[in-house]
Amino acid sequence: MKPTAPVPPRPARSRPARPARPARHRGASRFALLATVTALLAGALAWPAAERAEAAPATFAHPGVTVSRGQLDFARQQVNAGAQPWKGAYDQMMASKYGSLTRTAKPRAVVECGSYSNPNYGCTDEREDAIAAYTQALAWYVTRDARYAKKAIELMDAWSATIKDHTNSNAPLQTGWAGSSWPKAAEIIKYTYDGGWANSGRFSTMLRDVYLPKVINGSNSNGNWELSMMEAAVGISVFLEDKASYDKAMAKFRTRTAAYVYIASDGALPKTVPSQNLDTTQKIVNYWQGQSTFVNGVTQETCRDFTHTGYGISAIAHIAETSRIQGQDLYGTDVGERLRHALGFQAKYQLGEAAPSWLCGGSLNLGLGPVTEVGYNALHNRLGIAMSNTERLTAQNRPAGSNNLFVAWETLTHGDNPS
């Protein structure tokens, strides 16, 4: 174990001035004090939903998984006007294997995925058919060509008629990846296509019975697992309008995000997920891939590789975006702070800066992937936060394509999108 380097000092925070206490008058009633305390307690209990860990909306917004109707409208307008980078992003999407109208679904009753997809019985087919359904749904929205909507429905129907289970060691992660794409496709089709979807109920049953039970209880594996699983759980909950599952998934997401990305306010050591019993410094360092120096934005998997780190960062951004669409904006909470630092920290090294010796022994495995658009748009464009490293990497990677797992076409859907 490397000696623990000192944690950078926590930046000073300005505190709001305390409201002046009301003057005390002789004979003031104790009931007035009691009323004041009662009011303060009531205010605490009624803390705005955006600050609570879990708060399903009273009414779910649709389409509302990662991309909203307003965002879809903006992307459509830009593509149809031939504006860049959206037109180039759309062309890239349509030229991909996912945009083909001749695609044939390859459903299986049991998808079996071992570690690193060995064995791979239906794993790639399922993930890619789910991305293809989402791609076709986006193509429908942009073009209003019903052939694309029908192809998305064909892909979703093929799987909902067939799949019964996911098995082997990677089953939770596989379910999370595919289960993140299916609801995005289904939301667009169900709520924007007027040609009908006769088997939408069967698709809902598939999500409820085959996917949600595999992901909703989370995972104590590397953090990208649980984050991807919660992305699927949140998206599925929106489509099913399942408030209890939404709340459960969002609470687990908040806990895992805090344990995945370190920020200085966490203290000397990163936060942990209680169920993992990481109750000593050595256990935490081991879980963090041997990293013992903690600075803003380093993640639990930074020293593993940037590819898996990108999975985690992307899932955080996707859930935050879905939450915002559903009326609970997490970008102004620690979720946004952690996402901002994680993007900036990883982007700096992905752009070529040499790793210092205290970081992963001075050796990094790069390959962050097309994962910056959603978080960058929310934090920089909407909130006005300077993110120079993330900005450079985002521009360099445009148009952002697909990682062929659960990320797809985010320059098209979120690039500089004001909605």
Side-chain angles (χ1 to χ4, degrees), residues 247-330:
D247 286 350
K248 182 175 181 178
M250 195 61 70
K252 200 170 286 291
F253 162 70
R254 293 292 295 269
T255 299
R256 175 59 72 174
T257 299
Y260 193 70
V261 182
Y262 176 85
I263 53 178
S265 59
D266 293 338
L269 294 170
K271 291 182 179 293
T272 63
V273 175
S275 59
Q276 292 187 278
N277 298 312
L278 300 174
D279 52 7
T280 69
T281 299
Q282 188 60 61
K283 287 181 182 179
I284 292 172
V285 170
N286 289 345
Y287 184 59
W288 281 62
Q289 320 292 329
Q291 180 66 14
S292 59
T293 300
F294 303 105
V295 299
N296 281 331
V298 67
T299 79
Q300 183 255 315
E301 295 186 278
T302 296
C303 293
R304 181 187 184 188
D305 58 59
F306 274 30
T307 301
H308 287 88
T309 298
Y311 300 163
I313 291 173
S314 183
I316 292 170
H318 290 167
I319 296 173
E321 192 71 359
T322 296
S323 180
R324 183 189 70 89
I325 295 166
Q326 298 305 327
Q328 181 191 33
D329 196 336
L330 297 178

Side-chain angles (χ1 to χ4, degrees), residues 10-345:
R10 180 176 174 177
R13 293 183 175 179
S14 59
R15 297 189 179 184
R18 293 185 179 178
R21 295 182 179 177
R24 299 182 66 181
H25 301 284
R26 270 179 292 185
S29 169
R30 290 184 182 179
F31 290 108
L33 177 60
L34 179 60
T36 300
V37 172
T38 302
L40 288 171
L41 286 173
L45 292 174
W47 196 254
E51 295 300 317
R52 297 202 302 268
E54 61 278 348
T59 303
F60 284 98
H62 303 289
V65 177
T66 309
V67 60
S68 68
R69 186 182 294 269
Q71 290 170 321
L72 290 167
D73 285 341
F74 175 81
R76 180 173 188 252
Q77 291 162 4
Q78 299 308 307
V79 172
N80 289 337
Q84 300 297 350
W86 305 276
K87 180 61 165 62
Y90 175 78
D91 290 344
Q92 174 197 45
M93 179 181 82
M94 297 309 294
S96 75
K97 59 186 174 182
Y98 303 115
S100 172
L101 283 168
T102 63
R103 185 180 186 88
T104 301
K106 298 179 181 178
R108 297 177 67 100
V110 177
V111 173
E112 182 181 355
C113 306
S115 182
Y116 293 95
S117 292
N118 183 21
N120 180 342
Y121 298 135
C123 315
T124 301
D125 292 338
E126 179 189 29
R127 294 192 305 265
E128 296 193 349
D129 277 348
I131 292 173
Y134 177 51
T135 302
Q136 299 286 334
L138 289 173
W140 143 253
Y141 200 90
V142 170
T143 65
R144 294 301 197 270
D145 185 334
R147 292 178 302 164
Y148 295 114
K150 290 175 181 177
K151 178 58 69 172
I153 290 170
E154 176 189 314
L155 294 167
M156 291 188 285
D157 283 355
W159 280 91
S160 70
T162 307
I163 190 167
K164 302 299 181 187
D165 199 9
H166 297 87
T167 63
N168 214 317
S169 59
N170 263 30
L173 183 60
Q174 171 72 18
T175 311
W177 283 340
S180 294
S181 296
W182 288 128
K184 290 191 290 190
E187 282 277 301
I188 294 172
I189 295 301
K190 182 174 181 179
Y191 292 100
T192 74
Y193 175 59
D194 58 8
W197 180 11
N199 292 313
S200 63
R202 188 179 72 196
F203 186 82
S204 294
T205 300
M206 176 191 80
L207 293 181
R208 183 180 296 107
D209 294 349
V210 179
Y211 287 80
L212 192 57
K214 272 286 195 299
V215 296
I216 192 63
N217 292 316
S219 166
N220 285 325
S221 185
N222 283 300
N224 82 86
W225 276 51
E226 186 161 88
L227 289 166
S228 289
M229 291 163 70
M230 289 311 103
E231 180 183 345
V234 166
I236 289 169
S237 297
V238 170
F239 185 72
L240 298 179
E241 298 195 329
D242 182 342
K243 293 182 180 181
S245 294
Y246 185 95
D247 286 350
K248 182 175 181 178
M250 195 61 70
K252 200 170 286 291
F253 162 70
R254 293 292 295 269
T255 299
R256 175 59 72 174
T257 299
Y260 193 70
V261 182
Y262 176 85
I263 53 178
S265 59
D266 293 338
L269 294 170
K271 291 182 179 293
T272 63
V273 175
S275 59
Q276 292 187 278
N277 298 312
L278 300 174
D279 52 7
T280 69
T281 299
Q282 188 60 61
K283 287 181 182 179
I284 292 172
V285 170
N286 289 345
Y287 184 59
W288 281 62
Q289 320 292 329
Q291 180 66 14
S292 59
T293 300
F294 303 105
V295 299
N296 281 331
V298 67
T299 79
Q300 183 255 315
E301 295 186 278
T302 296
C303 293
R304 181 187 184 188
D305 58 59
F306 274 30
T307 301
H308 287 88
T309 298
Y311 300 163
I313 291 173
S314 183
I316 292 170
H318 290 167
I319 296 173
E321 192 71 359
T322 296
S323 180
R324 183 189 70 89
I325 295 166
Q326 298 305 327
Q328 181 191 33
D329 196 336
L330 297 178
Y331 290 115
T333 71
D334 78 295
V335 171
E337 185 179 3
R338 293 176 195 279
L339 178 59
R340 172 173 68 90
H341 284 301
L343 284 168
F345 185 84

